[in-house]
Amino acid sequence: MKQFLLLLLTLGLWSGLAGTPTTQAQFGPPGGGPGGPPGMGGQENRRKQEFTGVAEDAPKGNGKLAGLLVDSTSGKPVEFATIALINVATNKPIDGTTSDAKGQFLMNKLAPGDYRLQYSFIGYKTRDSQKITVAKGTDLNLGSIKLPADVRTLGEVVVTGQAALIEEKVDRLVFNADKDITAKGGDASDVLKRVPMLSVDLDGNVSLRGSQNIRVLINNKPSTIVASNVADALKQLPADMIKSVEVITSPSAKYDAEGAAGIINIVTKKNTLHGLTLNVDAGAGLRASNLGLNGSYRQGKLGLTLGGFGRAMYNRASSTLDQTTVVGGQSLRTSQTGTAFDKPVFGQYTLGIDYDLAKDQSLSANVRYGTRNFVQQQNQLTSTYANESLLSMTNRDVDRKDLSNSVDMNLDYIRTFKPQQEWSISTQYSRTGLTNNFYADLLGQTGELTGRQRNLNNNTNQEVTFQSDYQTPIRKNQLLEFGGKAIMRQVDSRYQYQIGGSTGDLVFDPTNPSGSLKYNQNIGAGYISYTYVTPSKYTFKIGTRYEHTGISATANENTSLNIPSYSNLVPSVNVSKSLKGGTTLKAAYNRRIQRPGLQQLNPNVNAANPQMIMVGNPNLSPELTDNVEVSASSTIKKTYLNASLFGRLTNNAISQIRIPSDTLAGSIITTYQNIGVQRTVGANVFFNTSITSKWTVNGGLDGYYVYMQGLTPGADGKSITITNSGVSIGGRLMSQLQLDKGWSAQVFSFFRGPMPQLQGTMGSFYMYSVGVRKDVANKRGSIGLAAENFIGGGVTMRTTLNSPLLSQVNVNHLYNQNVKVTFTYRIGKMSFDAPRRKGRSVSNDDVKGEGDGGGQQQAAPAPAAAPAGGRPK
């Protein structure tokens, strides 16, 4: 809260120096303003456009002014109010401060002159003092100053504008998820499907501009919950608690260097009010149900939050597989049909505490516990042919269990010296336990039990992180940021195989011996970043980050793996320019690192489906990517437009490689190797328009061309170079309508075309939804109804693979038609409190995953609260 008020004071001083004659906050009517989409608030954007940077130092002397601010009615102190020192001759503010927790304030080192003081605070009328003459050596106590409450009697208020669904800020794109009504009762993956530049496939895997090499943060923090499996982690986070999603395509040096395509930061709703509340969110549908309870308490310097969320799903799916493999010169064709019933259950529980140690110091602690219980029952009927003659037939009933429990604990301290000058220390401990097992019954042609197989795989991923950041303004238009970070990471995977006969007794499989992997990774990082704003409204943000990664790994307890350490220097450059008429141009370059994730390292051979075996590679090295991007955004009447061009060059790319098994006829093994080169160029265009004050439409198109080159085994046993290229296009369209008497409606649609891969093409997919919502009990609650993919028999996805030794066509059909009812209600009462200071926190965003300013250029170097950023899954 104090930081926010200090920021308000600073903004007032900046605007005063730019020519605004008063420090009183100005709030424009809802609606579009220059450089931002409708609803961003034109007055606020105009004020940002007038900023000139950090305020110049006021003339110094030895004069002192002190006083006490109290409520005119209750006589209680007014905490953290703004006191501005205004030069009578120029009518401009030249200095300022805030009252402390006892309502007292002090200004010293004042130069001789004639001044007046202006007192302001939200909920009180702004008050100006009489002229005060400060001479050399003046030490004046003004006593108690009474602030009258700003009480106004309002008639009926009709809100005709609202915050934009999509905002393009100076360094990121922001999707305001709390404006999306069809995602209620869903999870984070349902929200990310609607975000421009992102796509989410049927398994929940997230791509940014066609690349899954991204980092996902929650409130600027990493999480082993996310690191273990992004797709499953998103299902643990309820959509109703997501405030916004930030897409950062060109991170500065302050962020970890990980994430080749960029960073996705999911911002959850935070309580900034006094009192006690309890929010209930519930939903029930044909394929999922959810229940969430979130409580908060805030009084004085202490704030507490406690929440829990659970989601159960029940999906059916079917698939067909037709593949040909060449082993030893013999061609084998395999045909497989499968049916599956998924019963995943996800949960997440959070506890947060924050406390103001002093006026300029705060301490916060957070604990997040996540759990996943993914159970799948699958039947696989497989036939293998040699020269079109039946070679073998198998029938398997498989139970898969992917279980996890994760805990993240943060302790963060921040000290603010003056506006934009602050120092923070952040610590984090994270641990995730993973269980990835399968149990298979082998059946005869009449359904009798002929044998059993079992694979047990237990993994742990543990991290300890220490981080410190400092930032300070330099003159009026420059900002310097630097910091350091250390991450100690440990990965442990243990696996074993068992087999049994028709009696069901299981023994260790001698052909697949048990094994283990211990993988220690220590990262030391330091960064420096410099921001410079020119009078002509160019902003330059340049920086560099150095990261050293040391690795030690042991397989099967005593076999040392020779994985070399490595160091990387990763520069970043961001340039932006504001033009007249509300147009902003931006250009950026950065280098990113992509470290391998836990599932890519894990040497466990997962043969839940013996025709498609998965195995990791612990000898993987990181990949490096160079990114360039140019973009333009503008507001034309009630329509906000953004267009961007980007390019990526990746060397030593971590690529999926599929090879025929030389021990299991007709089987394909999928693993990972550093064998690829990828070159990608693409473009994004999206818009947001207000047709009327209650009807908005937004949408966009994105596409890219990719060229891939890598190695794959050839017919003679030697590796050969193969290439593939292609174009992928996607788009989305959404329309929202606010109706009378608390009713609202929304329509959403999305599609993604085929996506090229090194050895083939991943199939296209789509989704659509409609939803209505009715506010009840004076907007304390709501009831909603939404339907997804309700026409036809679900979504079908066709994937093809081709190489010299194999060809495969895999068709998956997901029965994902859904109708759901949602209900929310808020219990309790809150009173207004100014927003609290936003604290720093650890952000480890450095591991490869599986398969702010306004629309106008902000002239002042506004420091983001984003952490210095590193994690292998």
Side-chain angles (χ1 to χ4, degrees), residues 459-473:
N459 307 275
T460 59
N461 186 6
Q462 179 175 292
E463 296 181 5
V464 178
T465 304
F466 299 95
Q467 175 180 324
S468 183
D469 301 279
Y470 180 78
Q471 64 179 42
T472 184

Side-chain angles (χ1 to χ4, degrees), residues 387-708:
N387 298 321
E388 296 305 318
S389 297
L390 181 63
L391 187 65
S392 64
M393 178 180 292
T394 60
N395 190 5
R396 294 163 53 95
D397 280 340
V398 182
D399 287 343
R400 290 181 51 207
K401 293 186 177 180
D402 291 336
L403 315 176
S404 75
N405 56 82
S406 306
V407 62
D408 298 330
M409 296 185 290
N410 293 79
L411 181 63
D412 310 305
Y413 167 83
I414 185 169
R415 169 73 183 273
T416 301
F417 301 95
K418 64 180 182 180
Q420 291 195 321
Q421 184 182 23
E422 60 186 33
W423 171 54
S424 64
I425 299 177
S426 301
T427 62
Q428 176 173 281
Y429 171 80
S430 299
R431 181 181 176 87
T432 294
L434 297 167
T435 299
N436 188 2
N437 301 339
F438 78 81
Y439 307 82
D441 287 343
L442 310 184
L443 307 178
Q445 294 185 1
T446 60
E448 74 278 8
L449 179 65
T450 61
R452 283 185 169 173
Q453 295 177 344
R454 176 184 291 179
N455 176 210
L456 304 177
N457 183 206
N458 295 312
N459 307 275
T460 59
N461 186 6
Q462 179 175 292
E463 296 181 5
V464 178
T465 304
F466 299 95
Q467 175 180 324
S468 183
D469 301 279
Y470 180 78
Q471 64 179 42
T472 184
I474 304 175
R475 299 181 179 178
K476 68 175 183 177
N477 59 344
Q478 301 170 63
L479 183 72
L480 180 66
E481 303 167 276
F482 56 87
K485 186 174 189 177
I487 308 171
M488 287 70 74
R489 179 174 295 138
Q490 295 178 334
V491 172
D492 192 347
S493 175
R494 298 178 181 274
Y495 51 92
Q496 60 178 262
Y497 305 89
Q498 299 174 353
I499 57 175
S502 59
T503 61
D505 296 330
L506 294 170
V507 297
F508 289 105
D509 186 353
T511 62
N512 289 298
S514 302
S516 66
L517 171 69
K518 289 187 176 181
Y519 191 94
N520 298 316
Q521 185 183 85
N522 296 318
I523 301 173
Y527 75 91
I528 185 169
S529 179
Y530 171 74
T531 303
Y532 175 67
V533 182
T534 71
S536 57
K537 298 182 182 178
Y538 278 99
T539 297
F540 297 88
K541 189 176 185 71
I542 60 175
T544 189
R545 185 180 185 89
Y546 176 81
E547 294 190 354
H548 176 77
T549 305
I551 300 174
S552 64
T554 303
N556 302 326
E557 305 300 337
N558 54 16
T559 302
S560 178
L561 301 178
N562 185 21
I563 303 177
S565 302
Y566 51 89
S567 299
N568 301 99
L569 189 66
V570 284
S572 65
V573 179
N574 289 271
V575 182
S576 59
K577 165 67 173 175
S578 292
L579 306 177
K580 293 182 179 180
T583 298
T584 300
L585 303 178
K586 294 193 293 184
Y589 162 78
N590 63 70
R591 172 169 288 182
R592 310 294 293 167
I593 306 172
Q594 196 70 54
R595 296 181 178 90
L598 172 59
Q599 296 305 320
Q600 295 165 326
L601 298 168
N602 189 359
N604 175 58
V605 178
N606 189 328
N609 184 345
Q611 304 310 126
M612 294 184 291
I613 298 174
M614 301 289 295
V615 58
N617 178 5
N619 293 292
L620 288 175
S621 300
E623 63 184 34
L624 294 176
T625 299
D626 291 291
N627 297 278
V628 293
E629 177 182 2
V630 293
S631 67
S633 61
S634 183
T635 300
I636 304 173
K637 294 184 178 180
K638 295 183 178 181
T639 300
Y640 174 64
L641 295 172
N642 175 277
S644 62
L645 299 173
F646 67 90
R648 290 195 301 263
L649 173 60
T650 302
N651 293 311
N652 204 37
I654 300 174
S655 300
Q656 274 193 348
I657 291 298
R658 299 170 178 87
I659 57 177
S661 171
D662 55 4
T663 60
L664 188 60
S667 179
I668 292 178
I669 299 175
T670 299
T671 186
Y672 301 90
Q673 295 183 22
N674 292 105
I675 56 174
V677 173
Q678 294 184 5
R679 299 184 180 93
T680 306
V681 293
N684 306 102
V685 179
F686 66 87
F687 72 94
N688 185 32
T689 185
S690 295
I691 298 177
T692 69
S693 61
K694 296 184 178 181
W695 185 12
T696 62
V697 177
N698 71 83
L701 287 172
D702 54 85
Y704 63 90
Y705 167 83
V706 61
Y707 169 84
M708 293 162 284

Side-chain angles (χ1 to χ4, degrees), residues 86-114:
I86 299 176
N87 188 305
V88 173
T90 63
N91 201 32
K92 292 183 178 180
I94 62 170
D95 202 350
T97 186
T98 59
S99 59
D100 61 19
K102 297 180 180 180
Q104 298 174 348
F105 67 90
L106 172 66
M107 292 185 182
N108 51 26
K109 297 182 181 180
L110 301 181
D114 293 330

Side-chain angles (χ1 to χ4, degrees), residues 654-823:
I654 300 174
S655 300
Q656 274 193 348
I657 291 298
R658 299 170 178 87
I659 57 177
S661 171
D662 55 4
T663 60
L664 188 60
S667 179
I668 292 178
I669 299 175
T670 299
T671 186
Y672 301 90
Q673 295 183 22
N674 292 105
I675 56 174
V677 173
Q678 294 184 5
R679 299 184 180 93
T680 306
V681 293
N684 306 102
V685 179
F686 66 87
F687 72 94
N688 185 32
T689 185
S690 295
I691 298 177
T692 69
S693 61
K694 296 184 178 181
W695 185 12
T696 62
V697 177
N698 71 83
L701 287 172
D702 54 85
Y704 63 90
Y705 167 83
V706 61
Y707 169 84
M708 293 162 284
Q709 176 180 301
L711 299 176
T712 188
D716 57 358
K718 297 181 180 180
S719 295
I720 63 173
T721 299
I722 63 172
T723 63
N724 192 22
S725 62
V727 175
S728 181
I729 297 176
R732 72 208 74 224
L733 183 66
M734 179 187 294
S735 180
Q736 292 180 316
L737 182 63
Q738 300 292 325
L739 304 173
D740 295 334
K741 298 181 180 181
W743 285 92
S744 55
Q746 178 176 295
V747 177
F748 170 77
S749 61
F750 167 86
F751 80 94
R752 164 62 61 191
M755 301 173 65
Q757 297 180 316
L758 179 61
Q759 291 177 293
T761 303
M762 179 178 293
S764 61
F765 60 95
Y766 65 89
M767 71 159 295
Y768 54 88
S769 63
V770 296
V772 294
R773 185 178 65 188
K774 175 68 168 67
D775 294 329
V776 297
N778 294 322
K779 294 189 176 181
R780 295 179 67 88
S782 67
I783 299 175
L785 177 66
E788 301 173 354
N789 289 19
F790 48 87
I791 300 175
V795 174
T796 299
M797 189 173 183
R798 180 185 179 95
T799 299
T800 61
L801 299 174
N802 291 286
S803 76
L805 296 183
L806 65 88
S807 64
Q808 182 187 91
V809 177
N810 189 5
V811 180
N812 288 303
H813 189 85
L814 182 63
Y815 301 92
N816 63 346
Q817 308 97 318
N818 188 37
V819 177
K820 59 184 178 181
V821 178
T822 61
F823 171 77

Side-chain angles (χ1 to χ4, degrees), residues 38-60:
M40 287 180 63
Q43 184 69 27
E44 180 66 13
N45 284 343
R46 285 192 292 272
R47 186 160 61 247
K48 287 180 179 179
Q49 187 180 6
E50 293 168 352
F51 290 170
T52 59
V54 180
E56 295 182 8
D57 292 336
K60 300 301 182 183

